[in-house]
Amino acid sequence: MRNLIFLNFLFLFSFQSNAQSLSIIPQPVSVEQQEGVFTFSPQVKIIYDKDVAVNANYLNSYLAKYYLVRPLIQPNIKKYIALRLLNSKQKVYSAEEYYLTITPDSVVITGSDAGIFYGIQTLLQLMPVESKMQFDIPCLNIHDYPRFSWRGMHLDCSRHFFPVEFVKKYIDMMAYYKMNTFHWHLTDDQGWRIEIKQYPKLTEIGSHRKETIVAKNFDPYIGDKTPYDGFYTQEQIKEIVKYAAQRQITIVPEIEMPGHSQAAIAAYPELACFGMSYEVLTKWGVSDVVLCPTPEVIQFYENILDEVIALFPGNYIHIGGDEVPDDHWKKSKQVTELMLKENIKTYAGVEAYFINTIEKYLISKGKKMIGWDEILDGGVSSNASIMSWRGTEGGIAAAKHGNYAVMTPGDYCYFDHCQSKNSMEPLCIGGFLPLEKVYSYEPVASELNSEQANYILGAQANVWTEYLSTNDQIEYMIFPRMLALSEVVWSQKAKKDWWDFVGRIQKQFELMEFRKINYRVPEPEIQLRPLEENKFTLGISSLKQNSDFYYTIDGSVPTSASTKYSESIVIALTPNQKVRAIAITKTGKKSIVVETVNN
Ligand code: TNX
């Protein structure tokens, strides 16, 4: 059976990759390839409508950086790239749609400002994966627009802090795949990472922790005895917001309340129900130290939100709302009094009181509130939007009640989950979320009718960073899984096809290397087909076609000095003898080592 799957895999693989040579991800709505090519060279010029200067400059600097071609922007020229705003008579399917027409004489991208940007992204994917000054791209006509308006990526910058330059790279990487919403998780128990001028201690105290737990050493606890800190100044945030806007990305900041707030409480102990002092948490998990729902605390958070609103021009503010243990509230006199006064019967109701008060404030400031699905538990207003993470139920319930929802169920969208079950996989939180499972995700649950389906804004991947502390680790976790998600949220449902995607992803692997993205090299799969006693045909394949595979049969770790696999061969193995294999790309990037035992 395994062998059969293996053969199918190889067959489909070569078939599909031949059939699809453009390799665009996410798959556009319609592509017609034409005869001929457009030749990029230093003679090519860009012309553009004056309102899309940002896009013209973006394209120009990308070409200069990667292909050493810096087109001048000039009138009356023969070979050109034109960026043109869609005129009102052209049919508009979506605010983000674009037309890309490539003929031997010109490249024309037509759309709104956003559409032109996405047209540029498609164009960039047609370019070569080596830096050269003259190259051809195929003639074609593409018309394209997204299926969903919320195409999200989240990054937890509290558990670990990521510098401004990396946040910009994260935004760039999102833009390459037409993702448009960056959910920036800025506060949590383990660190407060946004400067708030009215409350300087939030960062003076709340952005530092005395150490960090080592791996998963909870019991007995082992800390690394290394202070950890970092936060973004308001100036840096403005710079990032602007950088994102130029790439059609809206940032949704998350300020957690009333749970996941221990760093804020460490800075201002009066935010909790008891006048005790707490420290910024050094280990992971859910803290029972939560905000006290008093008028003073709510006012404090409204003041914080004033500064947050001034920094982030997007419609949405994320207020967290997840995982709020009620241990503190049960013991608090203030909470008991609040429940009597407001006639609140449950602790979920107390959370609802807190969140609903904050929501009214946000609405008064012209903002929309979004929170994790727990905010549904105690009753939520019909204006609030829900991020469905504990499965899909929250999103389904929200859509049925007419609340907008973003789907981010753990089983499909948690990019902190492991990409293999192999013990060689780098440290990850748990779970198992391979590329194919991300690809298989359908954000509109079958329980929803077409009217309710309109309340599903889209989907998002969450990148929690308890076990991810470096830029490279983040890239390893999101690539190539974000490519699968991009197709889930951008491409038409009827166009989704796993094997076609596998064919198209081949060029994307090269492109990721060219763009210096530390993607996860798909590990090889070892197939042993028994021939006769202790003799096998050895097959090695992987999702990435152009890797070199190396293997050993003496139990040692394979390296590029080991035997190189070229085609299936016959090997002899004694019982319990191991075959171990590794994939190594042309630039020397390695997959994890896999092994199969003859038993
Ligand atoms: C649950 S998802 C959390 C986070 C953790 C994450 C780890 C959510 C709303 N809360 O605080 O980092 O699990 O996967």
Side-chain angles (χ1 to χ4, degrees), residues 18-52:
N18 289 340
Q20 178 51 273
S21 59
L22 292 174
S23 300
I24 299 160
I25 290 180
Q27 180 76 285
V29 173
S30 97
V31 181
E32 289 165 24
Q33 203 164 342
Q34 309 282 352
E35 287 296 314
V37 294
F38 175 88
T39 302
F40 271 87
S41 73
Q43 278 72 49
V44 171
K45 308 286 181 275
I46 298 176
I47 56 178
Y48 64 95
D49 289 347
K50 72 176 188 324
D51 290 344
V52 293

Side-chain angles (χ1 to χ4, degrees), residues 192 196 199 202 255 300-308:
W192 184 281
I196 299 295
Y199 302 115
L202 284 172
I255 305 296
F300 189 106
Y301 269 72
E302 288 174 352
N303 293 345
I304 291 175
L305 289 173
D306 282 343
E307 293 191 32
V308 172

Side-chain angles (χ1 to χ4, degrees), residues 154 156 159 183 185 188-190 254 256 260 284-286 318 320-323 371-374 387 389-390 408 410 414 416-417 429-430 462-467:
H154 149 290
D156 169 7
R159 274 55 176 272
H183 173 170
H185 188 76
D188 215 300
D189 299 314
Q190 296 85 0
E254 180 180 357
E256 276 269 19
H260 286 284
W284 321 124
V286 179
H318 199 303
D322 58 315
E323 300 177 323
W372 299 110
D373 57 38
E374 283 92 335
M387 213 166 243
W389 75 279
R390 296 175 299 177
T408 175
Y414 269 45
D416 56 341
H417 287 190
I429 197 165
N462 295 333
V463 186
W464 299 104
T465 59
E466 287 94 333
Y467 301 101

Side-chain angles (χ1 to χ4, degrees), residues 52 172 405 488 497:
V52 293
D172 272 327
V488 169
D497 177 331

